[in-house]
Amino acid sequence: KKGDVLQATSEITGRLAQMSSPQSSSEPLDDDLIVTAFNTIARGFDWENGGFGQQPKFPQPLVLDVVLRRWAHTGTSSVLEMVELSLEKMARGGMYDQIGGGFARYSTDDKWLVPHFEKMLYDNALLVSLYSHAFQVTGKPLYKHVVEETLEFVEREMSHASGGFYSAYDADSEGVEGKFYVWTPEQINNVLGESDGRVVRAYYGVEEGGNFEGDSILWVPRDIDEVAGELEMSEEEVLAVVERSRPKLYDERATRVPPGLDDKILVSWNAMMLTAFAEAGAALDRPEWIERARNNAAFLLDNLFDGTRLLRTWKAGSDSMKGSAKIPGYLEDYASLGSALITLYESTFEQRWLDESRQLTDRMIDLFWDESSDVFYDTGTDASDLFTRPRDVFDNAIPCGGSSAANLLLRLATHTGDMSYRAAAENTLRSVREYIEKMGSGFGGWLSALDYYLSSPKEIVVIGDSQDVATKALLREVHNRYIPNRVVTGADAPVTPAPTPLLEARVLVNNAPTAYVCENYACKLPVTDPSALASQLNA
């Protein structure tokens, strides 16, 4: 039936080509579109356990970021509650590694208890950024705790000595899913003794018979006051026992056969973790995290970019410090790394990173932009011929290449003053407008780009010696608050000629470190006092 086969093949390839073809809309890009998408997202929220939908339940940090952005615009307490309930339930669940830090890929139930135990680099990167933003909003110690533990896990267990980040840990060890992570009451008592073991078992919900195939996944099912009351202890005493017990349990767990490690280093996933380290380092005032981001950026640029072509993946050879890169990078690699380098620039004010981002962006446009349809495609013009040029527009576990490119272009336009970047972002947003309106939950990255596009981003400039305590005080006011649509730039001293429009004519006032808050390159009066800067940022 060759004729039937050929007809079916033609229909399939035609449908795939249609799916990749842009459907540009002339309808307005406005706030009503965001409201419609947000209402669709909100209808799927689980008000008992947090997150969206039923089992299996994915963390969906891109969608929760959209919700947090909506709160920033409206100040509606129930909107913020959606984010906080989700973050607290995930942090207390079995999907979060209560002993070693870091998140598993998703929960097989709606309570975040039983994970698919695989740990992915990109999940942890996006969740660190989300928890950092939530900490900026609320100051809650739990969010800071999760950020610290997750980045410590990545630094300890998912990092190559040269600066790259590994991709994933498997779910299985010794052929059994989750075996590495689960406990019995006897195992806990053997490590901690009966007295401390009793407290830890109560806190982490470890009982005879377990909660997963006869064993127990550690989670925090009850509030601390309930546990303390049951144990006839103070809350402080319970937490002290738990904190001194965790390193002991970790060391014991480390003697088990670990899950397999996927040690390839992917550019786009590394860029997400680079962003997480740089953002968290600035938000929580942890310069060592910014240094880690700087090392990763240098590794990626030195080993996977030759100034002309970015490669996608790197893997160590027999000499672990040497490796080989291969596979031409996709749109998501260029866009993710370009955006990460802007974030690193905003955390360091080192001009190199902004220059490298612009170089990558210009190369991205050359390779992936299609003039005839005004959109980006996922593969470059130098890629192997395919029957259709792929263009994935859905934001799933990670942002797609198109939404990443839109976010990058908008931020770079603000930094450089080159509005051709903004025009390209607008065109690619128009190509997915109908999708956003109908299926908001699948377009978290696009919605973030649209939110930026529709806003008047705050342009914040800080001039002053980076080692001066007065400069640091101004920067703390900038970085310790959640401003979703903003760019940050600065220099140790006035720069002539200025490398970007935002730095033009930015001088010290009374020879003191000085901050400027601007919109559309029009600035309020420069300030030297942190409280005055805070007032301008809060306006």
Side-chain angles (χ1 to χ4, degrees), residues 66 73-74 78 84 87 128 143 174 190 192 200 216 283 297 333 369 376 404 431 436-437 448 468 510 523:
V66 171
H73 289 301
T74 66
S78 60
E84 291 208 69
L87 297 192
V128 163
Y143 305 151
E174 301 183 79
N190 289 340
L192 304 177
V200 168
S216 286
D333 296 303
W369 183 256
F376 288 101
S404 297
S431 74
I436 293 174
E437 188 172 33
S448 293
D468 190 320
N510 297 326
C523 301

Side-chain angles (χ1 to χ4, degrees), residues 27-38 66 69-70 73 395 402-403 406-407 410 422 425-426 428-430 432-437 443-457 485:
E27 294 297 314
L29 296 171
D30 56 21
D31 194 60
D32 288 344
L33 184 57
I34 294 181
V35 172
T36 298
F38 172 77
V66 171
R69 284 171 171 269
R70 199 65 203 155
H73 289 301
D395 296 312
S403 68
N407 278 289
L410 291 167
R422 180 178 170 85
E426 178 183 343
T428 198
L429 278 166
R430 289 194 177 281
V432 295
R433 188 199 180 282
E434 293 183 6
Y435 290 116
I436 293 174
E437 188 172 33
F443 291 83
W446 289 107
L447 284 165
S448 293
L450 179 61
D451 183 51
Y452 190 107
Y453 170 79
L454 293 173
S455 72
S456 295
N485 300 317

Side-chain angles (χ1 to χ4, degrees), residues 516-527:
Y516 297 78
V517 177
C518 320
E519 289 184 13
N520 296 316
Y521 306 97
C523 301
K524 299 180 181 180
L525 290 174
V527 295

Side-chain angles (χ1 to χ4, degrees), residues 210-225:
N211 54 32
F212 176 68
E213 299 180 356
D215 295 320
S216 286
I217 300 167
L218 302 188
W219 67 322
V220 186
R222 296 185 293 170
D223 292 337
I224 184 64
D225 58 345

Side-chain angles (χ1 to χ4, degrees), residues 101-333:
F103 289 88
R105 191 177 176 201
Y106 62 87
S107 176
T108 62
D109 63 286
D110 59 1
K111 299 177 182 178
W112 310 104
L113 168 58
V114 180
H116 175 56
F117 289 89
E118 187 177 23
K119 287 182 175 180
M120 310 300 296
L121 184 69
Y122 57 76
D123 283 323
N124 285 282
L126 295 173
L127 285 166
V128 163
S129 291
L130 179 61
Y131 275 87
S132 295
H133 297 162
F135 177 73
Q136 288 173 318
V137 170
T138 68
K140 288 191 174 180
L142 174 64
Y143 305 151
K144 180 180 179 182
H145 181 72
V146 168
V147 170
E148 290 171 340
E149 286 191 349
T150 302
L151 292 183
E152 287 167 5
F153 154 70
V154 171
E155 180 72 358
R156 184 179 64 240
E157 300 183 36
M158 296 194 75
S159 295
H160 187 273
S162 294
F165 300 115
Y166 300 135
S167 292
Y169 268 103
D170 293 342
D172 301 353
S173 53
E174 301 183 79
V176 179
E177 182 171 353
K179 184 176 181 179
F180 182 75
Y181 298 100
V182 296
W183 298 83
T184 65
E186 293 75 21
Q187 288 172 330
I188 288 178
N189 286 350
N190 289 340
V191 176
L192 304 177
E194 175 59 36
S195 179
D196 283 4
R198 172 174 169 265
V199 175
V200 168
R201 295 197 317 271
Y203 183 81
Y204 286 125
V206 178
E207 300 175 349
E208 292 293 343
N211 54 32
F212 176 68
E213 299 180 356
D215 295 320
S216 286
I217 300 167
L218 302 188
W219 67 322
V220 186
R222 296 185 293 170
D223 292 337
I224 184 64
D225 58 345
E226 181 181 345
V227 176
E230 176 186 290
L231 296 171
E232 298 182 343
M233 300 170 64
S234 70
E235 295 178 16
E236 292 75 17
E237 289 172 330
V238 172
L239 293 176
V241 173
V242 171
E243 285 306 304
R244 70 172 178 249
S245 298
R246 289 174 68 249
K248 298 176 184 177
L249 293 175
Y250 179 86
D251 290 342
E252 174 63 24
R253 194 178 74 176
T255 66
R256 302 174 181 178
V257 177
L261 173 66
D262 181 351
D263 63 355
K264 68 176 177 290
I265 292 170
L266 297 174
V267 168
S268 61
W269 298 8
N270 269 246
M272 293 175 209
M273 188 55 74
L274 191 168
T275 298
F277 269 97
E279 278 190 337
L284 275 66
D285 196 17
R286 296 287 293 271
E288 71 274 21
W289 291 347
I290 297 174
E291 180 63 21
R292 184 67 184 89
R294 185 185 285 113
N295 290 342
N296 182 248
F299 169 83
L300 295 174
L301 293 172
D302 291 346
N303 291 277
L304 291 111
F305 186 53
D306 62 5
T308 302
R309 198 60 167 95
L310 181 67
L311 298 179
R312 176 166 175 77
T313 181
W314 184 94
K315 191 174 176 67
S318 55
D319 180 347
S320 63
M321 298 304 290
K322 296 180 180 179
S324 59
K326 61 182 181 180
I327 305 176
Y330 301 122
L331 174 63
E332 68 172 69
D333 296 303

